[in-house]
Amino acid sequence: MFDITHFEEHIKDLSVLGIKITQNNEDLVHKLWDEECRRNIYSATKSFTSCAVGFSIQEHLLSLEERLVDVFAEEIPENPSDYLTKATIRDLLTMRLGQKEASLMGAQRPQYKEEDWVRLALRIPFVYEPDSTFVYNNVGPYLAGIIVQRRAGCDLISYLTPRLFRPLGIKRPTWETDPSGNTFGAGGLFLTLSELHKFGLFYLQNGMWNQEQLLNREWIAESTRQQGPDPYGYLFWRGEYQSFRADGKYSQLSIVIPDKNAVVSVVAECRKGDELMKYINKDILACL
């Protein structure tokens, strides 16, 4: 078994609730400091939206090169800026959309008077050339999720259930919605530690599960590689040891390390995420 003694000593005041480690198809650690219930995985949700986009491309429902002014023709404001006219679905996934400030964030959403968040999101000024400036923002993944739902004709839970959740043994989860009832693709998915960990294993296996190729392995590679100068793919973060991860507020993590054939997943209520990540890298990833 894998020794996490040093890790436990270092994180005793960081409110870690559980950790699971799998390497070479063997579960090395499944340690809980609280009961394993479904919890909000916050922005780790974005990686599931990335996955939904991948399935949609595989099924020829959309293309990353489609322009937002065409996709959202009815909601685009009059006289859109040149930057908005250039923005594509791909720009929704890289945090390089062209807007200056983060919107649709957790503390903001309850305060909006508008109920049509698509129109709201597209009215926010586009002040940068798309694909030029990294700004972490919920608008991109939210709109990406809306596109999948419109093309598929169902919400993201219903779309992902036969394609991802059911094959991985994840019973229908809870997922936040916008005021119009659309699944909120930027956050608010509730999963257990083990369910989040299965998602990481699915990506480690390049979209294969139980000897069945569910999602195109080329999409897995493309969506998890660094897409620009910032350590970010298509709604996945890049990290040390050539890892990539689903990463949510307060350290909801599923870290995939292909070079070590391993996945490390964590759920926590940690307010010092950088410190926790330091110990994950030092005490776990470096030792695998």
Side-chain angles (χ1 to χ4, degrees):
M1 297 299 290
F2 186 77
D3 186 3
I4 63 168
T5 302
H6 291 305
F7 178 72
E8 290 186 84
E9 291 173 355
H10 287 143
I11 57 92
K12 60 184 179 181
D13 296 321
L14 294 180
S15 299
V16 175
L17 304 177
I19 183 169
K20 194 164 188 178
I21 304 172
T22 300
Q23 186 176 39
N24 299 325
N25 299 314
E26 180 184 357
D27 290 338
L28 303 182
V29 174
H30 188 186
K31 174 80 173 184
L32 300 173
W33 291 270
D34 198 354
E35 61 183 354
E36 185 168 352
C37 59
R38 280 184 167 170
R39 304 176 188 276
N40 191 344
I41 63 168
Y42 297 99
S43 285
T45 302
K46 294 175 172 64
S47 299
F48 286 80
T49 298
S50 175
C51 185
V53 171
F55 279 114
S56 298
I57 293 172
Q58 181 170 287
E59 295 167 6
H60 307 291
L61 297 179
L62 59 84
S63 164
L64 292 188
E65 305 314 313
E66 291 183 72
R67 298 188 309 156
L68 301 190
V69 291
D70 299 322
V71 174
F72 296 110
E74 295 184 2
E75 290 98 351
I76 291 291
E78 292 186 14
N79 303 313
S81 69
D82 290 343
Y83 294 149
L84 174 52
T85 62
K86 294 178 181 179
T88 65
I89 293 177
R90 181 181 183 277
D91 298 317
L92 299 177
L93 305 176
T94 60
M95 298 297 169
R96 300 162 70 83
L97 179 59
Q99 295 179 336
K100 185 177 182 179
E101 297 177 351
S103 301
L104 297 178
M105 308 306 283
Q108 296 171 335
R109 296 198 291 277
Q111 307 304 321
Y112 290 130
K113 294 180 180 179
E114 301 91 335
E115 295 200 353
D116 187 337
W117 286 1
V118 174
R119 292 183 187 275
L120 168 67
L122 293 168
R123 287 202 310 267
I124 299 168
F126 284 64
V127 300
Y128 303 122
E129 183 87 21
D131 198 32
S132 70
T133 305
F134 185 91
V135 177
Y136 193 80
N137 188 354
N138 276 353
V139 166
Y142 167 68
L143 291 178
I146 292 292
I147 295 168
V148 173
Q149 291 172 84
R150 290 184 177 182
R151 299 287 173 86
C154 61
D155 63 37
L156 288 182
I157 299 176
S158 298
Y159 184 67
L160 285 176
T161 290
R163 294 162 177 83
L164 179 73
F165 293 141
R166 188 179 298 131
L168 270 58
I170 299 173
K171 294 181 180 179
R172 185 179 177 90
T174 299
W175 198 331
E176 182 182 346
T177 62
D178 70 9
S180 300
N182 303 300
T183 309
F184 186 71
L189 177 61
F190 284 69
L191 294 174
T192 67
L193 168 64
S194 293
E195 290 169 339
L196 178 59
H197 190 70
K198 285 180 180 181
F199 182 68
L201 291 172
F202 176 67
Y203 269 72
L204 178 66
Q205 295 165 189
N206 294 304
M208 182 173 286
W209 198 261
N210 290 335
Q211 288 75 54
E212 183 178 359
Q213 192 71 46
L214 303 179
L215 182 57
N216 187 296
R217 63 185 299 124
E218 286 75 25
W219 171 258
I220 300 287
E222 175 68 11
S223 63
T224 59
R225 73 174 181 87
Q226 187 166 316
Q227 293 293 326
D230 306 283
Y232 205 72
Y234 294 156
L235 307 180
F236 282 90
W237 286 97
R238 297 289 307 184
E240 293 192 24
Y241 304 101
Q242 298 299 311
S243 66
F244 61 88
R245 67 186 185 275
D247 187 326
K249 190 176 182 179
Y250 307 135
S251 298
Q252 323 312 316
L253 306 166
S254 191
I255 306 167
V256 182
I257 316 98
D259 290 352
K260 295 175 180 282
N261 197 28
V263 177
V264 177
S265 299
V266 170
V267 293
E269 294 176 353
C270 179
R271 268 56 175 179
K272 298 178 180 179
D274 290 344
E275 185 176 352
L276 175 55
M277 185 60 71
K278 178 181 71 174
Y279 293 125
I280 291 173
N281 287 324
K282 176 183 176 183
D283 297 335
I284 297 178
L285 270 59
C287 301
L288 287 171

